[in-house]
Amino acid sequence: MKNKYIFNFAVVALSFSGCTKLDENLNGQVGSGAVSSNNVAGVLGATYAAMIGPYQAPWNWAALQEVTSDEIIVPTRAGDWDDNGAWRALHLHKWAPDHTRISDVFRDLNSISYVATSVLNASPNAGQAAQARFLRAFAQFSVLDGWGQVPYRDPGEGVTKPSRVRNAADEITYLISELTAIIPDLPAGPANVANKNAARTLLMKLYLNKGAFLNRNTPTFDAADMARVISLADEIAAGGYVLTANYFDNFAPTNDVLSTENIFTAQNLGGVNGSDLDGQWKCTTHYNQDPSGYNGFSTLSNFYAKFEAADKRRGGSYAGQTNVAGVRVGFLVGQQVNQNGVALKDRKGNPLAFTPEVSIIERDPNHLEVAGIRVIKYPIDYANSGSKKPDNDWVYFRYADVLLMKAEALLRTSQPAAALTIVNSIRTVRGASILPSLTLDILLDERGRELYWESFRRQDLIRFGKFLAAWQEKPASEAKYLLFPIPDNQIGNPNLIQNPGY
């Protein structure tokens, strides 16, 4: 069934913008006739499948949110990870409208929106329509976040003409109305389908980021919007979520059972139905670790230094992983060992000891393979390591994020004591010390500690006014980088306006 869904997605994937000759040819094959009431369940399934490419694994949307931030660096290691400078451009804020990864993500996010809209042209029942509308809103929120303008089509609208485009203000109004309207028809759960609390969480993000989306240089925070963030958090809390005792259980191969805080996930069935989620550990592990990885993504020492030694989120041993191959979860720094405690070596025979020191370009042959602290956020599914179909469900929204958003809304409306209580309740579960006070800078650090490598950091840095600042291996950047450029291969749509500075 999964293959059929992906086939359906591939047929419609390029038909959203209608910008190139290839797209026009595809548009002639795709339209309302491709969808009917007889296959609405299949096309809804294709919409869920369409989420895999842009969201799961570290290469696409996650890269745009994290490699552009102070959390991830992808150093060029001699010839490895050069990629014509594409990874360096993201971290250094030097991208342009021809950046392939930015172009691919923009296309794939809009394709989700197109497939979801196709569901609505097939006489779905109320529940199916609500799920499709949520998935469309989810993807459109990402486009709004990244590019500040959102292509769209109505159900049944012809695809031979360029899609229309909403500006940021109109898209925010639309998404708030859309999400509010569909909540009654969404299921209460489970987490791996579009559900009521997933919609409420996305609404929270809309209200919290509204002022940043409208004015990225100087974000504002309306008291009424913050009040709505708080009330939505309280509605979600009624669902009975609690913070998971073992932080990394939220991301484990059996996180559908172990996690008590995951609100919205993508279901992966080990060995049967999966994704490129194994890239979450292969992007960072060394060639000589188990599993053998690509020795690329690292975190920065300044970010790692934000964690106290006792903070459980910093990582440690994890059953089913460390005893199998010696790999720990969280941050990997220093000498790496196998399951028997035997020290590993790099390909030159040097100790495989990951160093906090890392440069955007590594040239020393005795350092380039070990430069940078590595991160394992999703515990490795060794049972399905050969199939590229791990059992870990991909996590979109967690209750901890809901609590931190509520704390932020409280802090931004002069209620620091209540905000501090929430933050300390999280830190207590995570084994971190109690904070005596709370400022916006401290809260931003706490969001980093709790949500690292979960595709929120760029959005957070923009909202807190920190995205253009200099940080490790990145100088201060120009204001134009608060938005991604409309890709060169999309600008043929006259309704898309290239973002300022590009």
Side-chain angles (χ1 to χ4, degrees):
M1 187 65 72
K2 176 189 173 224
N3 291 336
K4 182 184 79 172
Y5 292 165
I6 292 177
F7 173 77
N8 286 343
F9 169 53
V11 170
V12 298
L14 295 176
S15 60
F16 199 88
S17 296
C19 306
T20 67
K21 182 62 177 165
L22 173 61
D23 288 349
E24 289 166 3
N25 290 337
L26 283 171
N27 287 343
Q29 302 169 24
V30 180
S32 60
V35 184
S36 72
S37 58
N38 293 327
N39 67 354
V40 60
V43 181
L44 180 58
T47 310
Y48 281 100
M51 303 274 283
I52 294 173
Y55 287 116
Q56 293 199 44
W59 321 118
N60 298 310
W61 178 246
L64 299 192
Q65 285 287 338
E66 296 288 357
V67 181
T68 61
S69 81
D70 60 349
E71 286 189 358
I72 294 183
I73 187 171
V74 187
T76 301
R77 304 176 189 273
D80 289 347
W81 291 96
D82 179 73
D83 295 281
N84 295 315
W87 295 108
R88 296 193 300 273
L90 289 179
H91 190 74
L92 293 170
H93 295 187
K94 296 295 183 183
W95 55 77
D98 63 351
H99 195 286
T100 300
R101 200 155 301 276
I102 293 173
S103 174
D104 289 351
V105 174
F106 183 83
R107 177 201 63 207
D108 291 347
L109 290 173
N110 282 304
S111 295
I112 296 168
S113 185
Y114 180 86
V115 183
T117 301
S118 297
V119 175
L120 304 177
N121 198 41
S123 302
N125 61 41
Q128 291 170 324
Q131 289 185 57
R133 290 165 70 183
F134 172 79
L135 297 177
R136 179 176 62 180
F138 190 96
Q140 288 189 2
F141 176 84
S142 295
V143 177
L144 171 65
D145 180 8
W147 290 267
Q149 51 188 300
V150 181
Y152 73 98
R153 297 186 190 277
D154 291 330
E157 184 177 340
V159 295
T160 56
K161 294 181 180 180
S163 56
R164 290 171 288 162
V165 176
R166 294 189 188 96
N167 62 26
D170 289 344
E171 181 66 20
I172 291 167
T173 299
Y174 163 75
L175 288 176
I176 289 173
S177 174
E178 182 78 344
L179 289 166
T180 302
I182 64 176
I183 287 174
D185 291 322
L186 287 170
N192 58 36
V193 299
N195 60 76
K196 294 179 188 295
N197 283 332
R200 292 184 179 111
T201 305
L202 187 55
L203 266 175
M204 288 183 71
K205 290 192 174 293
L206 266 167
Y207 282 112
L208 191 62
N209 288 284
K210 179 180 175 183
F213 289 162
L214 294 174
N215 186 346
R216 293 174 189 248
N217 284 291
T218 311
T220 58
F221 301 91
D222 181 78
D225 291 337
M226 298 302 100
R228 192 73 185 103
V229 171
I230 294 166
S231 65
L232 283 163
D234 292 341
E235 292 176 37
I236 294 167
Y241 304 98
V242 295
L243 297 177
T244 306
N246 187 327
Y247 177 74
F248 294 96
D249 283 350
N250 292 309
F251 312 96
T254 53
N255 57 346
D256 56 329
V257 176
L258 296 175
S259 176
T260 55
E261 64 179 273
N262 286 344
I263 293 172
F264 182 46
T265 63
Q267 184 181 41
N268 292 314
L269 300 175
V272 177
N273 176 10
S275 66
D276 199 22
L277 186 147
D278 63 335
Q280 285 295 117
W281 49 80
K282 288 183 178 178
C283 75
T284 195
T285 54
H286 187 269
Y287 312 104
N288 292 342
Q289 289 182 290
D290 182 9
S292 178
Y294 310 137
N295 200 45
F297 287 36
S298 303
T299 200
L300 294 154
S301 58
N302 286 354
F303 183 76
Y304 176 71
K306 296 180 186 295
F307 291 79
E308 298 173 339
D311 195 326
K312 297 174 184 176
R313 297 169 294 194
R314 201 168 78 155
S317 297
Y318 192 82
Q321 176 174 306
T322 311
N323 59 303
V324 171
V327 182
R328 295 157 68 91
V329 291
F331 296 89
L332 310 185
V333 60
Q335 178 66 54
Q336 302 302 296
V337 299
N338 68 11
Q339 67 273 24
N340 298 316
V342 177
L344 299 175
K345 296 182 179 181
D346 70 10
R347 293 181 297 178
K348 288 185 172 294
N350 299 314
L352 186 62
F354 297 137
T355 69
E357 297 79 25
V358 63
S359 300
I360 194 75
I361 298 178
E362 288 286 340
R363 295 184 173 90
D364 181 350
N366 293 313
H367 185 248
L368 60 87
E369 288 192 17
V370 297
I373 300 167
R374 314 306 168 85
V375 172
I376 302 290
K377 189 69 178 274
Y378 282 76
I380 299 167
D381 182 7
Y382 285 97
N384 295 291
S385 61
S387 69
K388 284 187 66 67
K389 296 177 181 178
D391 201 45
N392 318 59
D393 286 355
W394 181 262
V395 180
Y396 291 116
F397 292 149
R398 292 193 291 120
Y399 185 55
D401 188 13
V402 168
L403 292 175
L404 288 170
M405 287 193 287
K406 180 180 179 181
E408 183 178 339
L410 288 165
L411 190 59
R412 293 190 185 278
T413 50
S414 302
Q415 302 175 74
L420 179 62
T421 297
I422 291 173
V423 171
N424 278 332
S425 71
I426 297 171
R427 289 176 62 82
T428 297
V429 175
R430 305 308 188 210
S433 65
I434 296 297
L435 296 173
S437 61
L438 188 66
T439 65
L440 287 172
D441 285 347
I442 293 172
L443 181 57
L444 177 62
D445 284 348
E446 191 63 27
R447 284 190 63 82
R449 286 185 284 264
E450 180 64 33
L451 301 166
Y452 67 92
W453 288 42
E454 291 185 52
S455 305
F456 297 120
R457 189 61 173 179
R458 169 186 165 273
Q459 183 186 102
D460 288 351
L461 289 170
I462 291 173
R463 191 173 67 255
F464 282 79
K466 304 288 189 181
F467 187 67
L468 303 178
W471 56 68
Q472 247 177 310
E473 295 298 299
K474 183 193 87 77
S477 46
E478 300 174 54
K480 72 176 186 179
Y481 295 109
L482 293 168
L483 285 166
F484 294 119
I486 302 301
D488 281 340
N489 61 7
Q490 299 287 337
I491 207 66
N493 181 344
N495 298 319
L496 286 165
I497 301 171
Q498 185 55 273
N499 284 318
Y502 296 105

